[in-house]
Amino acid sequence: MNTLKSTLLTLALAGIATASHAAAVRVVFDDPIFTGSGYDAVHIKFPNAGGSKTEYVAAGRFQGTASNLVGVSPGIFVDSVDDMFMYCYDLYESIGNGSVVDYNINFDGAFSRTLDFLGAVNSVMNTGSMYDPYAWLRPVNHNQGAAIQLGIWESKYEIDADWSLTTGSFRAWSLEGATTTYWNDFVQAIPNSNALEQRFTMVLEARGAQDMIAGDPPVNVPEPGSLALLGLALAGLAATRRKPKAA
């Protein structure tokens, strides 16, 4: 009897876990890709193949639309599938205006250092009575968006513990003055801020295209197929409890 109960629960939970691991989405990036926020064109230097690489890039928040959802519901996207906000989380591959990419979703992909930085960004940007865990996805202008993007890159590609764009393995220069001001505000807030919780983020991963980091509402509701599987397991448990004892 106990073996049956364990088997039913294991199958149900395994079905939910499988749906989670299979989470995927198609993203169609806007054209232009920085719709609604803009960017700051900067020089960056980052680790690459045992050395370093220098690029002239546009730093800012990307925008696009989500479709072809697998294992997830539309409710996991901030603010909606039609207005999907995200930042680049990968400097080794590229993305462009109007690109179409099929991503796997990793709900545990954000580095702890990235979460430290995003928590500081939220502490600076949340000035009202209502706390918004997705404030980092809603820059007020292109300079703020650029500073957030640079901080995300710094959090992932900097080997040293210090937060600096002028020293270390990740560097950036030619920033607009306002971008530098926002960057300084965010970095100075890190020591006194709580890290953003992992559950508020997801990383979109794909071969041949830049990975992205985006927001994720905290309640990930299992897909109907998973719920049905769990329902069968619970029904099976109920049936075993109702079975009369042998005489």
Side-chain angles (χ1 to χ4, degrees):
M1 190 74 68
N2 289 335
T3 300
L4 176 59
K5 292 179 182 179
S6 299
T7 301
L8 288 168
L9 282 176
T10 299
L11 287 172
L13 296 175
I16 294 174
T18 300
S20 175
H21 289 313
V25 61
R26 173 170 294 172
V27 176
V28 179
F29 290 88
D30 284 4
D31 187 2
I33 203 169
F34 295 102
T35 299
S37 58
Y39 66 89
D40 187 359
V42 302
H43 289 89
I44 61 173
K45 184 177 182 180
F46 55 94
N48 183 64
S52 62
K53 186 176 183 179
T54 299
E55 295 275 8
Y56 186 55
V57 300
R61 188 203 68 188
F62 294 161
Q63 188 164 321
T65 59
S67 63
N68 293 28
L69 309 183
V70 176
V72 293
S73 67
I76 75 165
F77 298 98
V78 181
D79 285 323
S80 72
V81 292
D82 296 321
D83 286 305
M84 186 178 177
F85 305 142
M86 64 211 114
Y87 292 90
C88 168
Y89 209 44
D90 171 16
L91 287 172
Y92 301 123
E93 295 177 300
S94 61
I95 207 74
N97 297 323
S99 291
V100 180
V101 183
D102 290 319
Y103 284 107
N104 292 318
I105 303 175
N106 183 350
F107 292 105
D108 300 311
F111 286 25
S112 59
R113 201 161 183 262
T114 303
L115 299 175
D116 289 341
F117 176 74
L118 296 181
V121 171
N122 281 349
S123 72
V124 172
M125 294 180 64
N126 276 291
T127 57
S129 58
M130 296 290 290
Y131 179 81
D132 179 10
Y134 309 108
W136 59 281
L137 286 168
R138 303 186 177 104
V140 299
N141 54 45
H142 75 279
N143 295 114
Q144 193 173 65
I148 295 170
Q149 177 65 91
L150 290 170
I152 289 171
W153 285 334
E154 165 81 6
S155 73
K156 186 175 181 182
Y157 293 99
E158 178 54 63
I159 297 173
D160 298 333
D162 295 336
W163 292 88
S164 172
L165 295 180
T166 58
T167 62
S169 54
F170 178 84
R171 304 184 188 190
W173 62 98
S174 304
L175 286 64
E176 294 177 12
T179 301
T180 301
T181 298
Y182 282 120
W183 157 262
N184 288 332
D185 289 343
F186 296 148
V187 170
Q188 289 169 8
I190 292 174
N192 300 314
S193 302
N194 294 323
L196 179 66
E197 294 182 45
Q198 183 81 262
R199 66 194 179 106
F200 292 119
T201 66
M202 59 180 168
V203 176
L204 311 181
E205 302 172 336
R207 291 184 178 181
Q210 282 182 325
D211 294 348
M212 297 289 140
I213 183 167
D216 171 33
V219 180
N220 294 320
V221 180
E223 289 297 284
S226 298
L227 290 173
L229 184 59
L230 181 58
L232 287 173
L234 295 177
L237 287 176
T240 60
R241 292 196 182 105
R242 289 195 300 268
K243 186 175 180 179
K245 294 182 181 180

